[in-house]
Amino acid sequence: MESAIPSMEASAAEPARTTDYEADREKIVKRLRRIEGQVRGVQAMVERDDYCVDVLTQLSAVMAATRSVGLAVLDSHISGCVMGSCRHGHHDQQELLDELSTAIERFVKANG
């Protein structure tokens, strides 16, 4: 069965991409691990048949935490890739703006 999550590996035709959140990588990973723990906690709540409002409150906290991590990654993308030290092979500003617009659109849609 195929995963619903796209592969993060670069194809042969596409150059390998690097990130500009290297300085914050440890902090981002730590936050993602905390979110993972929150999700496991919500799962346990559902398995225990906890009160719906309590489950929804915890789900809201998970959503806020993922939104926060996403904003940190987006901020790094803007400050690093768009404004300066891009190492992704972009050759013009329009290409950078198109990619930024797509990234923002995906993020906003996911966090509606």
Side-chain angles (χ1 to χ4, degrees):
M1 184 169 135
E2 276 189 45
S3 171
I5 301 172
S7 173
M8 300 306 281
E9 296 176 21
S11 68
E14 202 176 298
R17 298 207 179 233
T18 57
T19 64
D20 278 310
Y21 53 80
E22 292 175 42
D24 295 323
R25 182 184 321 272
E26 197 170 309
K27 183 170 68 172
I28 290 170
V29 169
K30 183 185 261 187
R31 290 167 81 180
L32 289 169
R33 286 188 180 127
R34 191 175 311 128
I35 291 167
E36 181 181 20
Q38 285 179 291
V39 171
R40 289 176 197 259
V42 174
Q43 179 181 355
M45 291 175 75
V46 171
E47 289 170 348
R48 287 190 310 261
D49 200 26
D50 284 5
Y51 186 53
C52 298
V53 174
D54 294 340
V55 172
L56 290 170
T57 299
Q58 292 306 310
L59 285 171
S60 178
V62 168
M63 292 166 65
T66 58
R67 184 173 35 256
S68 176
V69 171
L71 286 171
V73 173
L74 182 60
D75 182 62
S76 292
H77 177 66
I78 292 169
S79 62
C81 296
V82 176
M83 297 302 294
S85 62
C86 180
R87 298 172 301 212
H88 296 181
H90 296 297
H91 299 291
D92 62 35
Q93 286 185 329
Q94 189 59 51
E95 183 181 359
L96 285 168
L97 289 175
D98 290 345
E99 181 182 81
L100 177 59
S101 292
T102 300
I104 291 171
E105 182 179 328
R106 285 180 189 162
F107 185 70
V108 169
K109 188 184 296 183
N111 287 285

